């Protein structure tokens, strides 16, 4: 993977996992509404962009500490080959965006069974998906 970020505002932490069937990306987006997030995949690059609440002034007085980042954010990930982005599914729950991109059938791991030596009454070699 190649990771890139544009930090015009808050950072966008990600967890990326893979298994035999899919690549899963989870992004932590606390306080952000699903309608303020855009997900695109183009030329093998996934980009997640969005916006948080605009800057605001302190109700009274001046900030002593201002650590809540506001504004726009963007995060790009170069995806591995063998995924089917047109079949991707996204969910958003409790401030976590979860994007699941299935792997193409031809890149899924396959198990090949070994056939015992001829003449012992065994079955021929089978290929199955694991």
């Amino acid at each position: 993977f190649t990771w890139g970020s544009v930090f015009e505002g808050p950072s966008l932490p990600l967890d990326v996992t893979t298994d035999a069937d899919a690549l899963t990306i989870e992004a932590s987006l606390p306080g952000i509404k699903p309608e303020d997030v855009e997900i695109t995949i183009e030329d093998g690059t996934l980009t997640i962009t969005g916006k948080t609440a605009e800057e605001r002034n302190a109700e009274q007085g001046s900030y002593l500490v201002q650590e809540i980042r506001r504004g726009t954010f963007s995060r790009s990930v170069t995806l591995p080959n063998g995924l089917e982005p047109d079949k991707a599914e996204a969910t958003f729950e409790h401030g976590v965006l979860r994007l699941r991109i299935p792997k193409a059938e031809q890149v899924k791991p396959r198990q090949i069974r070994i056939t015992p030596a001829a003449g012992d009454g065994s079955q021929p070699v089978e290929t199955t998906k694991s």
Side-chain angles (χ1 to χ4, degrees):
F1 297 109
T2 304
W3 305 98
S5 298
V6 176
F7 296 111
E8 298 171 13
S11 62
L12 178 55
L14 300 177
D15 285 345
V16 181
T17 56
T18 186
D19 60 26
D21 296 319
L23 179 84
T24 302
I25 299 170
E26 291 182 327
S28 179
L29 299 169
I32 298 173
K33 299 174 187 172
E35 58 267 23
D36 292 335
V37 178
E38 183 177 301
I39 305 164
T40 58
I41 299 177
E42 185 175 359
D43 296 328
T45 300
L46 165 72
T47 302
I48 301 171
T49 56
K51 63 181 178 178
T52 63
E54 296 298 320
E55 281 294 319
R56 61 181 182 177
N57 296 321
E59 294 287 324
Q60 294 178 358
S62 300
Y63 282 107
L64 295 178
V65 177
Q66 187 176 13
E67 295 180 340
I68 298 173
R69 300 182 74 181
R70 295 173 179 88
T72 60
F73 60 87
S74 180
R75 182 78 186 259
S76 295
V77 178
T78 301
L79 299 172
N81 293 327
L83 298 178
E84 297 191 75
D86 55 327
K87 295 181 180 176
E89 298 173 350
T91 58
F92 196 98
E93 189 174 357
H94 303 295
V96 176
L97 169 68
R98 187 170 190 269
L99 178 66
R100 185 180 182 279
I101 308 171
K103 291 183 179 177
E105 288 297 321
Q106 63 267 25
V107 298
K108 289 183 181 179
R110 300 191 183 277
Q111 180 180 13
I112 300 173
R113 296 185 185 180
I114 299 172
T115 302
D120 64 2
S122 64
Q123 299 294 320
V125 173
E126 278 185 44
T127 304
T128 59
K129 288 187 251 178
S130 55

